[in-house]
Amino acid sequence: MAELATVGSYLVQRLEEAGLKHVFGIPGDYVLRFYDLLEASSMKVVGTCSEQGAAFAADAYARVNGLSALCVTYCVGGLNTVNAVAEAYAEKSPVVVISGAPGLRERVRSPLLHHRVRDFNTQRLIFEQVTVASAALENPDHAPEQIDATIAACLRAKRPVYLELPRDMVDRPCAAPGPLVREGPHSEPEALREALAEAAAMLRAAKRPVILAGVELHRFGLQETLVHLVARSGYPVAATLLGKSVISEIHPQYLGIYEGGMGRDDVRRAVEGADAVLILGAFLTDIDLGIFTAHLDMSRTIHATSERIAIRHHHFEGVTLHDFLHGLLRAPIGPRRRIVAAARRPRKPFRVQRKRPITVRRFFARLNEFLEDNFAVVCDPGDSLFGAADLTIHRRTEFVSPAYYTSMGFAVPAALGVQIGKPRLRPIVLVGDGAFQMTGQELSTIARFGLNPIVFVLNNKGYTTERFIHDGAYNDIPNWAYHEMPKLLGAGWGCEAHTEGELETALAQARENTACFSLINVHLDPYDRSEALERLGRSLGRQVSR
């Protein structure tokens, strides 16, 4: 007689075999039996305050760990995660979303079951729009194949997938798991040869080549390959904002962040003045292109992503980013003399003016000196992100932010996901007061698991990015006593900083406070801003006014 498993145990085993150590989520009646199996597994369940917080945490965990899982109940839980799962889809973060659902038998007896929206397929149909694959596990004979195919799609595409598990299917017998097949996509050999030959010829002829590295090098684990290519080719390398920290930012050939007119002028000139730009794994989004202030001549580009290779205006299908990048390491593109990035003007040592009110620019200048090698910078959108663009990240994949989808409320739960996934990293969390009011309650989960991020609430009493796009009273929000959160939670340490002297004292105490989280309420003028935000606001403001 063939060996049997159950649908629930099969799914748990496949998650374990995929390397997962944690599952994020909140239980509910339709998924409680599956939660029993998770609790009995080798994985640790990380229960959060809200489903959206769980989804943001799972997204960040996937960014630093290569895969994550999120488990919630039907509709009231699942639909709370859609925004964060959409962000993971937009920015290529591999999250396995598991939702409980009403049992098949009870649907027949009582169609008006709680949590149902329109019909029993509503949630699955919604998730189909924000995932790369989905399946409802409604037949135990088909469930093993559906589970394997869905998880494989998640790993292959580096995007979320959705599995819906009716509660009366969890313990239904199914075929036992066989060996886990980890077969990735393969390039079409002739297309790969032609693409490499054309790219190599263009690069050999170039006198001023530059590499522009993007987020997919993070997602597909190609950071080390990029380092080898930079060393072999001698080319200088810039990164997109979404790809920040794809290479150590103290590498001698690193130029900086390229973001069109929003970024540093020396980086813009180096990239836009190149006669060959090798774009690797980058999404050319409006944010990465400085709200389209960039001027990239596509007739001078080789643009390689996981979906296609474009050389000038010639497109190649069926070529993987992995194979193309490794092929370039062997292709006749050099070696040539190493082109060392132009030396940046040395930063002046930060000198504290103790009674001076804190400004955004002075805050980030001081923070840059505060960073240590074991810190991971986790940013919310807005000036938290734009001001952090010029921070120097010494290692790789230690800067996490939704720099394309730009959903507010990401950073605090993301810090949970980052530190759960990589305990050696201590998150430095940069979050605006508006974003903190959306998901700051996840500090409770952070305290529960004994984590120690340092959270800077950039408190300017409202939505500063929107103020500079189009101002109005609707951009003002209540001023919370954010530094009092530790009293509410019974854990953590908090303080206020109005001046540079108070900030200096807070930084010293936060560095030493390794036993729990620290929260520094940084008071800023409502109309203070970074240079990048000012340029962005002017550009977007012109569009809103049209």
Side-chain angles (χ1 to χ4, degrees):
M1 183 176 178
E3 187 178 355
L4 294 177
T6 65
V7 174
S9 68
Y10 189 105
L11 177 53
V12 166
Q13 181 171 330
R14 285 307 195 217
L15 294 175
E16 292 173 322
E17 290 171 340
L20 284 179
K21 305 297 184 189
H22 301 87
V23 178
F24 298 85
I26 293 179
D29 60 343
Y30 289 125
V31 77
L32 289 176
R33 174 62 190 132
F34 186 66
Y35 257 78
D36 287 339
L37 300 183
L38 291 175
E39 289 282 1
S41 75
S42 64
M43 297 177 287
K44 187 173 184 65
V45 175
V46 181
T48 55
C49 298
S50 74
E51 288 89 0
Q52 179 173 236
F56 279 138
D59 177 3
Y61 183 99
R63 295 181 191 221
V64 300
N65 226 42
L67 183 70
S68 71
L70 168 68
C71 187
V72 292
T73 195
Y74 184 64
C75 284
V76 295
L79 297 182
N80 266 335
T81 72
V82 170
N83 172 62
V85 174
E87 177 173 270
Y89 183 92
E91 299 193 359
K92 287 209 160 183
S93 186
V95 180
V96 180
V97 182
I98 303 162
S99 174
L104 299 184
R105 291 187 296 274
E106 61 190 315
R107 298 182 195 187
V108 176
R109 296 196 308 270
S110 178
L112 293 178
L113 294 173
H114 62 286
H115 300 340
R116 197 182 82 153
V117 181
R118 185 171 181 174
D119 59 39
F120 291 111
N121 294 320
T122 299
Q123 180 172 270
R124 179 179 56 80
L125 292 173
I126 290 171
F127 271 96
E128 283 182 0
Q129 304 304 309
V130 294
T131 59
V132 73
S134 64
L137 306 179
E138 298 177 350
N139 185 323
D141 293 334
H142 300 155
E145 181 181 353
Q146 290 175 303
I147 292 168
D148 288 356
T150 303
I151 294 176
C154 186
L155 292 169
R156 182 174 61 251
K158 303 299 181 184
R159 278 186 158 137
V161 295
Y162 174 75
L163 288 169
E164 189 168 287
L165 180 57
R167 61 178 167 188
D168 60 0
M169 289 290 112
V170 174
D171 294 317
R172 289 287 298 275
C174 69
L180 182 65
V181 178
R182 294 178 176 269
E183 186 173 349
H186 300 288
S187 296
E188 201 283 313
E190 191 58 35
L192 176 61
R193 279 193 293 271
E194 288 185 15
L196 287 170
E198 188 170 334
M202 181 176 171
L203 293 170
R204 279 197 307 273
K207 296 190 177 352
R208 301 181 309 281
V210 165
I211 296 172
L212 180 58
V215 67
E216 286 193 325
L217 301 185
H218 287 292
R219 301 296 186 261
F220 289 92
L222 294 170
Q223 302 98 317
E224 196 64 36
T225 309
L226 172 66
V227 173
H228 292 322
L229 181 62
V230 169
R232 180 183 180 274
S233 67
Y235 300 169
V237 56
T240 63
L241 186 57
L242 188 58
K244 182 175 170 67
S245 79
V246 71
I247 189 170
S248 169
E249 296 182 350
I250 58 174
H251 192 287
Q253 284 157 263
Y254 179 69
L255 294 167
I257 299 295
Y258 174 71
E259 47 184 338
M262 281 175 53
R264 292 195 346 248
D265 197 51
D266 58 322
V267 180
R268 182 189 60 78
R269 287 197 305 269
V271 174
E272 295 178 4
D275 55 356
V277 184
L278 178 57
I279 306 172
L280 299 173
F283 300 163
L284 299 183
T285 71
D286 59 345
I287 301 296
D288 277 343
L289 295 179
I291 312 301
F292 301 118
T293 58
H295 298 285
L296 283 176
D297 183 351
M298 300 311 290
S299 69
R300 298 181 181 180
T301 65
I302 300 166
H303 189 188
T305 71
S306 64
E307 296 171 6
R308 68 171 58 186
I309 311 294
I311 302 175
R312 297 188 175 97
H313 300 292
H314 189 185
H315 289 195
F316 294 86
E317 305 288 348
V319 178
T320 71
L321 180 62
H322 175 278
D323 291 347
F324 184 75
L325 194 51
H326 280 83
L328 286 177
L329 284 174
R330 301 185 296 272
I333 62 172
R336 64 178 70 200
R337 180 179 58 83
R338 188 177 71 177
I339 304 171
V340 178
R344 296 190 194 186
R345 182 178 299 173
R347 295 179 189 263
K348 293 181 180 179
F350 188 89
R351 289 186 170 82
V352 179
Q353 300 177 38
R354 302 198 69 86
K355 295 184 178 180
R356 178 177 175 171
I358 300 169
T359 65
V360 172
R361 297 177 201 188
R362 295 275 293 174
F363 169 78
F364 280 103
R366 178 63 186 94
L367 187 64
N368 200 58
E369 294 185 1
F370 178 75
L371 295 180
E372 298 178 356
D373 283 352
N374 68 318
F375 289 162
V377 178
V378 183
C379 292
D380 231 86
D383 235 10
S384 298
L385 171 60
F386 299 133
D390 283 336
L391 294 176
T392 301
I393 308 300
H394 288 207
R395 297 172 183 263
R396 297 194 299 277
T397 315
E398 294 183 359
F399 184 91
V400 179
S401 180
Y404 166 39
Y405 188 75
T406 59
S407 177
M408 292 174 64
F410 172 82
V412 174
L416 168 68
V418 167
Q419 199 166 24
I420 288 283
K422 296 287 184 185
R424 68 175 180 82
L425 294 177
R426 188 178 188 188
I428 299 297
V429 182
L430 301 169
V431 57
D433 50 334
F436 186 91
Q437 290 190 14
M438 296 179 180
T439 55
Q441 70 268 30
E442 294 305 341
L443 282 178
S444 174
T445 314
I446 285 169
R448 177 184 175 188
F449 285 91
L451 307 179
N452 63 354
I454 302 174
V455 180
F456 296 91
V457 178
L458 303 187
N459 182 3
N460 42 32
K461 290 75 180 174
Y463 305 130
T464 296
T465 304
E466 280 72 13
R467 282 180 178 142
F468 282 89
I469 296 171
H470 194 74
D471 201 7
Y474 38 75
N475 291 323
D476 299 330
I477 64 173
N479 182 24
W480 291 6
Y482 301 98
H483 54 288
E484 300 286 3
M485 284 290 289
K487 289 184 181 179
L488 173 67
L489 300 176
W493 170 83
C495 73
E496 291 183 273
H498 296 84
T499 65
E500 290 186 4
E502 291 174 347
L503 176 63
E504 200 66 20
T505 301
L507 291 174
Q509 290 183 255
R511 191 193 299 274
E512 295 302 316
N513 178 37
T514 58
C516 58
F517 75 81
S518 300
L519 189 152
I520 303 173
N521 182 4
V522 181
H523 290 275
L524 299 164
D525 184 274
Y527 288 91
D528 187 24
R529 73 280 186 188
S530 67
E531 292 179 5
L533 179 55
E534 187 170 355
R535 290 191 294 267
L536 173 63
R538 284 198 300 266
S539 177
L540 287 180
R542 286 191 293 270
Q543 296 182 36
V544 170
S545 299
R546 288 172 184 166

